[in-house]
Amino acid sequence: MRPMRPGFFLGILLAAMLGFLTACTGGPELAPSDTPAVGADTPDYLIGPGDTLQVFVWRNEDLSVSVPVRPDGKISVPLIEDLVAAGKTPTQLARDIEDRLKQFIQTPIATVIVTGFLGPLNQQVRVVGEAAEPQAIPYRERMTILDVMIEVGGLTEFAAGNKAIVVRSYTGEKQNFRVRLDDLLRDGDVTANVPVLPGDILIIPQSWF
């Protein structure tokens, strides 16, 4: 019998969660037909907590800084404290910065560039369980489960990849779909490479044996 490791009990908990979710929903396998069609127009990127922003103020180098978006969704830059950034586009935030700076300088011109992307929760794909590096990653257009697994470094040796599920929200209701990560990553079965959507949660349980 192989020795237990620190994440063993977490794996048991995730496996139990998987069993409960599958029992409640039937756990159909995720297929391309389960993914709603994505519109031709790509939505504007919305800033989220954890993003890193580069703020430039023209002809005012002392006001040009790189700042993180705090967990409360706000930023602080020179002369401006506690400005809400989350949920806005970079252009909208730049206009807000200009409005706040008008009381200090004449005709400010600001530009905001996102240099570290994470985005709001509904624009992330979150991976928990037996991935090499479980984390939340920003969604990209036409992202697939293979793209996600590359981002998180693949599966651990303890993963039950073919028992993984994707938790997805449709019109406010959560649905659970099985995905075949072992078939995709270990056997090279490209039919197991299915699209993911922003807001998806990928749960990878631990193998019991």
Side-chain angles (χ1 to χ4, degrees):
M1 179 180 294
R2 69 187 180 200
M4 293 185 183
R5 60 181 188 133
F8 178 77
F9 293 105
L10 176 60
I12 292 177
L13 177 61
L14 288 171
M17 289 173 57
L18 174 62
F20 175 76
L21 291 170
T22 302
C24 291
T25 63
E29 183 177 326
L30 184 62
S33 59
D34 296 312
T35 303
V38 178
D41 296 331
T42 303
D44 291 333
Y45 181 81
L46 299 180
I47 296 168
D51 284 355
T52 302
L53 308 179
Q54 187 72 45
V55 179
F56 295 97
V57 182
W58 188 53
R59 291 184 176 177
N60 288 271
E61 293 184 4
D62 292 342
L63 303 181
S64 299
V65 293
S66 177
V67 293
V69 181
R70 304 194 307 252
D72 63 1
K74 298 178 180 179
I75 62 171
S76 294
V77 297
L79 301 180
I80 304 174
E81 294 183 350
D82 299 333
L83 178 62
V84 175
K88 299 176 181 177
T89 67
T91 299
Q92 289 170 337
L93 180 58
R95 300 294 82 78
D96 290 347
I97 291 173
E98 292 171 352
D99 288 340
R100 295 281 290 272
L101 288 177
K102 286 178 181 177
Q103 58 184 306
F104 304 106
I105 59 179
Q106 185 176 7
T107 318
I109 300 176
T111 302
V112 174
I113 299 174
V114 183
T115 57
F117 296 88
L118 192 55
L121 287 177
N122 62 2
Q123 292 297 313
Q124 298 174 16
V125 177
R126 287 170 284 173
V127 183
V128 297
E130 294 299 318
E133 299 176 5
Q135 59 183 293
I137 57 180
Y139 175 79
R140 301 189 303 272
E141 188 177 10
R142 301 183 186 280
M143 195 175 220
T144 68
I145 203 76
L146 178 59
D147 297 323
V148 172
M149 294 312 300
I150 290 173
E151 290 278 353
V152 300
L155 300 170
T156 71
E157 63 177 307
F158 302 95
N162 279 357
K163 294 183 179 179
I165 63 170
V166 168
V167 181
R168 175 172 295 171
S169 293
Y170 282 144
T171 62
E173 295 184 2
K174 292 189 180 299
Q175 297 185 28
N176 306 300
F177 299 92
R178 290 183 294 107
V179 287
R180 297 181 290 119
L181 299 181
D182 282 338
D183 291 352
L184 174 63
L185 301 178
R186 293 170 177 164
D187 298 333
D189 183 355
V190 294
T191 65
N193 186 26
V194 293
V196 295
L197 292 178
D200 280 355
I201 302 172
L202 174 61
I203 301 175
I204 307 171
Q206 188 178 60
S207 175
W208 288 90
F209 301 100

